[in-house]
Amino acid sequence: MANCLVAQSGGPTAVINASLAGVIRANQLNPVYDRVFGGIHGIEGVLEDKLFDLTDLPAREIDILKQTPSSALGTCRYKLKRGNDTDYKRLVEVMDAHSIEVMFYIGGNDSMDTVDALSEWAAANGVAKRFIGIPKTVDNDLVPVDHCPGFPSAAKLACQITHATRLDYDAYTRPEVFVLETMGRDAGWLAASCCATGDVDLLVLPEVDFDKDAFLAQVQAKMDATGECYIVVSEGAHYADGTYISAGESANDGFAHAVLGGAALTLKQMIVDAGIAPRGVVQDLSRAARSSNFAQSLVDVTEAYELGLSAHMHSARPGFTGQVVGIAPRTDLSAPYNPVFFAGPASQFANFVRTFPEEWILPDYQGITDEALAYFRPLIAGEPKIIYENGMPATIMPFNKR
Amino acid sequence: MANCLVAQSGGPTAVINASLAGVIRANQLNPVYDRVFGGIHGIEGVLEDKLFDLTDLPAREIDILKQTPSSALGTCRYKLKRGNDTDYKRLVEVMDAHSIEVMFYIGGNDSMDTVDALSEWAAANGVAKRFIGIPKTVDNDLVPVDHCPGFPSAAKLACQITHATRLDYDAYTRPEVFVLETMGRDAGWLAASCCATGDVDLLVLPEVDFDKDAFLAQVQAKMDATGECYIVVSEGAHYADGTYISAGESANDGFAHAVLGGAALTLKQMIVDAGIAPRGVVQDLSRAARSSNFAQSLVDVTEAYELGLSAHMHSARPGFTGQVVGIAPRTDLSAPYNPVFFAGPASQFANFVRTFPEEWILPDYQGITDEALAYFRPLIAGEPKIIYENGMPATIMPFNKR
């Protein structure tokens, strides 16, 4: 009887472990594989034969794994490059040593490209190994899906911090601006999602070249009208020439790239220097938003888990390789939310970046359209029942630390 | 029949509105006062006669008020200075105009000093008005209490972010340090509380003069031993001469005080410059930690609410003025948690700063003692049942925005 391998790659999320839990649990419900091995630290550890036997993980641990943020197997930034026969052969050697026929890889664009490359290479070289992808990324930038597991929970936490800090900001009378910075180097999905709470006055995305004068005019208009201006900026916001906001203006001392909340800090200083407000508050979400378990979206954790189940189920079919499972794009955003699962070629998931749609962006930094709000709202709906221990959401000991 | 007034002052917290809810609800349970007025934007708005009638706030709104972060009445930084007869007389004028006999003031050290000063002045001038304090502060720096409402929830959120970011950090193999910065200019309570999760390798507090060489030696030792070093620093950490960490070293360009996460950033750069780790990740909690409703401590929200009830109940006794309600210091930290409520003279609450006890600090930045852990753990215990709407914890429209 053959075994399978599951590994995680890229940046951790709030629900990447739920997909892992799905694969493990599916095999307990239908033992297609004799053993389910976890690869420690992604492909990097697998090449070093670092595996952990997950087959018989107790149900209670699986439940807690689903609510454990970050990557419980450990992650890596190591990329399996196309044409790297040495790594490919070593991988097959490790798989053979453990009678592993199928590898599930949970990750973002790069990992889906790895799934594509490995399955191509296996076919070309008559190697009877199969490779299946399960997507995750807080950036939400994969092309063929409606959204990507990990993003809804990051968005839900970002929305909660947006609303809480807006209330904090609103409690004061003194004139100041508030600038919140989110992750999002190339795509503004996370920053845009903050608008779902109705708290954002101005939104600065990487999808729109930054125009300082036009932006400051809008800040002035908000301050004139209400005495307040709550701004959300994506870390990747940039000028027309590609220069990041965080690299210019007041932070032009070469220190900027190391500065936490660089874009937010720069916008705040820009506003103060222009005399629009005497001061400002800056909040950077940074790492805190991407893999927490105190604001998981029920939709997200459920889908991540079910994608793990789905990948395992599909894998029972011989010849199923080079495929990735996902949630199909919604055709009608006004219809009740009803996610449709599908599997498609990994090549469609790799090497493309889906930016936030231009037609969903209101002009003059005014936020997002109603259609965009209709897209976001169901994703952040619902809260899982979290198991607490000693006042903290329970988490499992990561497998890479055992 | 006389009326009462309740107002909020200083920095918002996660539960300052629960104390407000307690005052409102107490008067519904026992209508000692005909009307309960809320002062908009603290004493600043009261002097301008900006009041909001809270007497008949529906029970459902009171429930949601309890879980609404920030100051629902709005806050101010305006200080009623001792000997400022003009302001005092104007305050009495406003109170008279609305038949207000008692004022409840929810705030930190300064507000408790205001309660003390006003009650003294009223006694000296034969003014039949009474002033009662309800404490709050995320800094936890009031002297005569075990802890201060607002702090446990801030600590609980800080602990959750500590654990989540530690898991995120642990997922990687690459050598880097992680530095988390918390609020806490003069006292290190919030930074110290992060140690309750067992995730902190090194802790840098304002209570211990910073010694760069000694600190770097500890970072080196942790990196040598485990390849990891997770550091928590309080924003107020400083050298023996009083210079803030955030003002020195790599951030010595005068830009530092504007830099978000200045202390964390400086420590990270210091470690990189010393060649101990090639890189580091910095996370600043800033505003996000102090007034959120997605990580309220059940102990905290319950106590804040009950302190509101208690203040109202005490106020039914004629002559009760210049007093503040609070939770008495625990005498045995190993006993089951059982908060004891008391009322004491406002003078004991004002003008003193309780720093984190030196005897609870381990040497060489190694964190805190078991006794300190025993102090923190019950405070972050339990989670209130949060009412959600559209995927977000429900909040009421702030009174200062109605």
Side-chain angles (χ1 to χ4, degrees):
Chain A
M1 201 170 175
N3 298 325
C4 74
L5 169 68
V6 54
Q8 297 171 319
S9 184
T13 79
V15 302
I16 188 171
N17 289 331
S19 293
L20 172 62
V23 172
I24 299 168
R25 190 64 181 159
N27 202 65
Q28 293 177 350
L29 301 179
N30 180 22
V32 170
Y33 307 100
D34 186 44
R35 300 279 99 193
V36 177
F37 292 110
I40 300 299
H41 290 299
I43 205 73
E44 193 175 343
V46 174
L47 293 176
E48 294 169 9
D49 200 22
K50 292 183 180 164
L51 307 185
F52 189 98
D53 190 337
L54 301 163
T55 318
D56 303 314
L57 199 69
R60 169 79 179 180
E61 277 209 67
I62 292 178
D63 284 343
I64 295 178
L65 177 60
K66 286 169 74 173
Q67 68 172 43
T68 300
S70 188
S71 304
L73 288 167
T75 187
C76 67
R77 296 205 177 271
Y78 189 85
K79 287 177 193 172
L80 265 196
K81 293 202 182 102
R82 281 172 183 275
N84 184 340
D85 266 24
T86 311
D87 277 354
Y88 287 12
K89 284 176 181 164
R90 170 64 186 152
L91 175 61
V92 171
E93 194 175 281
V94 173
M95 291 173 81
D96 276 340
H98 299 278
S99 306
I100 294 166
E101 186 201 324
V102 171
M103 174 177 171
F104 300 98
Y105 210 23
I106 314 174
N109 314 50
D110 286 335
S111 306
M112 298 309 106
D113 188 47
T114 298
V115 167
D116 188 42
L118 282 168
S119 58
E120 269 183 20
W121 179 86
N125 292 273
V127 173
K129 305 289 180 198
R130 298 188 287 129
F131 303 91
I132 298 167
I134 304 171
K136 72 85 214 170
T137 167
V138 296
D139 296 331
N140 205 38
D141 58 357
L142 299 191
V143 170
V145 293
D146 184 78
H147 58 278
C148 212
F151 171 71
S153 292
K156 188 176 178 104
L157 180 55
C159 284
Q160 293 192 16
I161 291 181
T162 297
H163 188 53
T165 53
R166 175 79 208 214
L167 286 172
D168 192 310
Y169 174 57
D170 280 351
Y172 290 92
T173 51
R174 59 188 180 192
E176 61 186 11
V177 295
F178 193 105
V179 193
L180 177 79
E181 179 168 334
T182 71
M183 290 181 124
R185 185 61 65 179
D186 300 315
W189 290 95
L190 195 55
S193 74
C194 295
C195 295
T197 64
D199 290 306
V200 178
D201 290 321
L202 299 177
L203 174 68
V204 182
L205 298 175
E207 283 80 1
V208 178
D209 292 338
F210 184 71
D211 178 331
K212 179 180 169 179
D213 292 339
F215 171 73
L216 288 176
Q218 293 302 326
V219 178
Q220 183 74 66
K222 293 286 178 191
M223 292 301 286
D224 288 348
T226 65
E228 296 187 333
C229 189
Y230 187 102
I231 301 158
V232 172
V233 60
S234 188
E235 61 176 342
H238 56 76
Y239 291 92
D241 68 359
T243 311
Y244 288 119
I245 286 178
S246 56
E249 299 301 323
S250 63
N252 59 3
D253 53 5
F255 189 58
H257 276 295
V259 172
L260 183 68
L265 191 68
T266 305
L267 289 186
K268 190 267 288 182
Q269 198 56 47
M270 191 184 289
I271 292 162
V272 170
D273 290 347
I276 298 171
R279 67 176 73 80
V281 180
V282 166
Q283 174 75 54
D284 185 53
L285 290 188
S286 190
R287 287 271 178 107
R290 79 173 179 185
S291 72
S292 73
N293 56 356
F294 45 93
Q296 273 186 335
S297 148
L298 181 60
V299 163
D300 195 21
V301 70
T302 304
E303 290 177 353
Y305 179 69
E306 291 186 342
L307 284 169
L309 294 178
S310 172
H312 180 278
M313 290 160 160
H314 277 296
S315 79
R317 194 166 70 249
F320 187 85
T321 186
Q323 299 278 304
V324 177
V325 292
I327 311 290
R330 279 169 278 175
T331 50
D332 178 4
L333 290 173
S334 66
Y337 183 69
N338 183 33
V340 175
F341 289 68
F342 77 105
S347 56
Q348 293 178 0
F349 286 76
N351 310 316
F352 300 102
V353 170
R354 182 179 62 148
T355 54
F356 189 73
E358 274 184 48
E359 63 273 21
W360 284 2
I361 304 173
L362 293 174
D364 298 328
Y365 309 100
Q366 300 295 311
I368 59 178
T369 65
D370 288 345
E371 199 182 357
L373 291 173
Y375 168 87
F376 283 126
R377 285 190 175 134
L379 302 186
I380 63 171
E383 299 72 41
K385 178 73 183 158
I386 295 288
I387 301 163
Y388 279 83
E389 287 174 359
N390 302 316
M392 296 278 293
T395 59
I396 64 154
M397 170 67 67
F399 303 112
N400 64 320
K401 296 289 174 184
R402 298 190 189 194
Chain B
M1 203 169 173
N3 298 324
C4 75
L5 169 68
V6 54
Q8 298 170 318
S9 185
T13 79
V15 302
I16 188 171
N17 289 331
S19 292
L20 172 61
V23 173
I24 299 168
R25 190 62 180 159
N27 202 65
Q28 293 176 350
L29 301 178
N30 179 23
V32 170
Y33 307 100
D34 186 44
R35 299 278 100 194
V36 177
F37 292 110
I40 299 300
H41 290 298
I43 206 73
E44 193 175 346
V46 173
L47 294 176
E48 294 170 6
D49 200 22
K50 292 183 180 164
L51 307 184
F52 189 98
D53 191 336
L54 301 163
T55 319
D56 303 315
L57 199 69
R60 169 79 180 180
E61 278 210 66
I62 292 178
D63 285 343
I64 296 178
L65 178 60
K66 286 169 72 174
Q67 68 172 43
T68 299
S70 187
S71 304
L73 288 167
T75 187
C76 68
R77 296 206 178 269
Y78 189 85
K79 288 177 193 170
L80 266 195
K81 293 201 182 104
R82 281 172 183 274
N84 184 340
D85 266 25
T86 311
D87 277 356
Y88 288 13
K89 285 176 180 165
R90 170 63 187 154
L91 175 61
V92 171
E93 193 176 281
V94 173
M95 290 174 81
D96 277 339
H98 299 277
S99 307
I100 294 166
E101 185 201 324
V102 172
M103 174 177 172
F104 300 99
Y105 210 23
I106 315 174
N109 313 50
D110 285 336
S111 307
M112 298 309 106
D113 188 47
T114 298
V115 166
D116 188 42
L118 283 168
S119 59
E120 268 183 21
W121 179 86
N125 291 273
V127 173
K129 304 290 179 197
R130 297 188 287 129
F131 302 91
I132 298 167
I134 304 171
K136 72 87 213 169
T137 167
V138 296
D139 296 331
N140 205 37
D141 58 357
L142 299 191
V143 170
V145 294
D146 183 78
H147 59 276
C148 211
F151 171 71
S153 292
K156 188 177 178 104
L157 180 54
C159 284
Q160 292 193 17
I161 291 181
T162 296
H163 189 53
T165 54
R166 174 80 208 212
L167 286 172
D168 192 311
Y169 174 58
D170 280 350
Y172 290 92
T173 51
R174 59 186 180 192
E176 60 185 12
V177 295
F178 193 105
V179 193
L180 177 79
E181 179 168 333
T182 70
M183 290 181 123
R185 185 60 67 180
D186 300 314
W189 291 96
L190 195 55
S193 74
C194 296
C195 295
T197 64
D199 291 306
V200 178
D201 290 320
L202 298 177
L203 175 67
V204 183
L205 298 175
E207 283 79 1
V208 179
D209 291 337
F210 184 71
D211 179 331
K212 179 178 169 179
D213 292 338
F215 171 74
L216 289 176
Q218 293 303 325
V219 178
Q220 184 74 63
K222 293 286 177 191
M223 292 301 288
D224 288 348
T226 65
E228 297 188 331
C229 190
Y230 187 103
I231 301 158
V232 172
V233 60
S234 189
E235 62 175 343
H238 56 77
Y239 291 92
D241 68 358
T243 312
Y244 288 118
I245 287 179
S246 56
E249 298 301 323
S250 63
N252 60 2
D253 53 5
F255 188 58
H257 275 297
V259 172
L260 184 69
L265 191 68
T266 305
L267 289 186
K268 189 266 287 180
Q269 197 57 46
M270 192 184 289
I271 292 162
V272 170
D273 290 346
I276 298 171
R279 65 176 73 80
V281 180
V282 167
Q283 173 76 54
D284 185 53
L285 290 188
S286 190
R287 287 272 179 106
R290 79 172 180 186
S291 72
S292 72
N293 56 357
F294 44 93
Q296 273 186 336
S297 147
L298 180 60
V299 163
D300 194 23
V301 69
T302 303
E303 291 178 351
Y305 179 70
E306 291 185 341
L307 284 169
L309 294 178
S310 173
H312 180 278
M313 290 160 158
H314 278 295
S315 79
R317 193 165 70 249
F320 187 85
T321 186
Q323 299 278 306
V324 176
V325 292
I327 311 291
R330 281 168 277 175
T331 49
D332 178 5
L333 291 173
S334 66
Y337 184 69
N338 182 34
V340 175
F341 289 67
F342 78 105
S347 56
Q348 294 179 0
F349 286 77
N351 308 317
F352 301 101
V353 170
R354 184 180 59 147
T355 53
F356 189 73
E358 275 184 47
E359 63 272 23
W360 285 1
I361 304 172
L362 294 174
D364 298 328
Y365 309 99
Q366 299 296 310
I368 59 178
T369 65
D370 288 345
E371 199 181 358
L373 291 173
Y375 169 86
F376 284 125
R377 284 189 175 135
L379 303 185
I380 63 171
E383 299 73 41
K385 177 73 183 158
I386 295 288
I387 302 163
Y388 279 82
E389 286 174 0
N390 302 315
M392 296 277 293
T395 58
I396 64 153
M397 171 67 68
F399 303 111
N400 64 321
K401 295 290 175 184
R402 299 190 186 193

